[in-house]
Amino acid sequence: MSFSLAPLVIQMPAIAATKGASNSSDHPKFPSLKSKDLVGICLRKPKSYSTSRRRLCCKSQLADFAPVTSAAYGILLFSGGLFAFTKSGSKGSLFGGLSGAALMTSAYFLLQASETKEFGDALGFGSAFLFSCVFGIRLAATRKLIPAGPLLGLSICALVVFTSAYLQDRL
């Protein structure tokens, strides 16, 4: 049984001869293969090396989610504080949830206008950083995973989104 690559090869534009080959039609590692047999197998773009330095810039698309993140995070903080107050009568949780919701609401409305977008990103970042610290300290002090663990995870996710949005808007 003979195996042929002929039906699998897609005709591509001609490829330049490889460096170091003694004969322009021979492949450097596999002398029995001719370069015409290899047309269409390698679809990678050639590497290009630039000597100019590029400015460090964040080009992620997480910045598009900053308003949605501030709204969702604010709703979760408010509902969590309200739930903790109704379940255990914790006034600190109610105050924390209300203040977090107020900060995230402010960040949401600041993110809507292009003139105040950087300030909204900074406010969202600062609030998420504050709540990350609060939930991290609470998790370390109580050693209970619930409720501080998931809230710490959500706060860190919001922190990443606001950091990315601020870097994209600022740079």
Side-chain angles (χ1 to χ4, degrees), residues 90-112:
S90 172
K91 292 181 183 176
S93 295
L94 180 63
F95 177 72
L98 286 173
S99 64
L103 287 170
M104 286 297 136
T105 302
S106 300
Y108 175 78
F109 285 114
L110 288 171
L111 287 168
Q112 300 304 313

Side-chain angles (χ1 to χ4, degrees), residues 83-94:
F83 177 76
F85 178 72
T86 57
K87 185 176 179 186
S88 63
S90 172
K91 292 181 183 176
S93 295
L94 180 63

Side-chain angles (χ1 to χ4, degrees), residues 7-26:
L8 300 175
V9 174
I10 300 169
Q11 294 299 323
M12 302 291 282
I15 300 174
T18 58
K19 293 180 183 177
S22 58
N23 187 356
S24 64
S25 64
D26 291 341

Side-chain angles (χ1 to χ4, degrees), residues 59-101:
K59 295 289 185 187
S60 72
Q61 298 299 320
L62 286 176
D64 298 336
F65 293 110
V68 174
T69 302
S70 66
Y73 188 55
I75 290 170
L76 287 173
L77 288 174
F78 176 71
S79 61
L82 191 61
F83 177 76
F85 178 72
T86 57
K87 185 176 179 186
S88 63
S90 172
K91 292 181 183 176
S93 295
L94 180 63
F95 177 72
L98 286 173
S99 64

Side-chain angles (χ1 to χ4, degrees), residues 31-85:
S32 63
L33 291 175
K34 304 292 183 198
S35 63
K36 68 179 178 67
D37 295 333
L38 297 177
V39 172
I41 291 176
C42 182
L43 298 176
R44 275 192 324 204
K45 291 182 178 180
K47 293 181 181 178
S48 63
Y49 297 101
S50 175
T51 57
S52 65
R53 293 185 65 174
R54 293 184 179 161
R55 186 175 167 183
L56 181 62
C57 186
C58 183
K59 295 289 185 187
S60 72
Q61 298 299 320
L62 286 176
D64 298 336
F65 293 110
V68 174
T69 302
S70 66
Y73 188 55
I75 290 170
L76 287 173
L77 288 174
F78 176 71
S79 61
L82 191 61
F83 177 76
F85 178 72

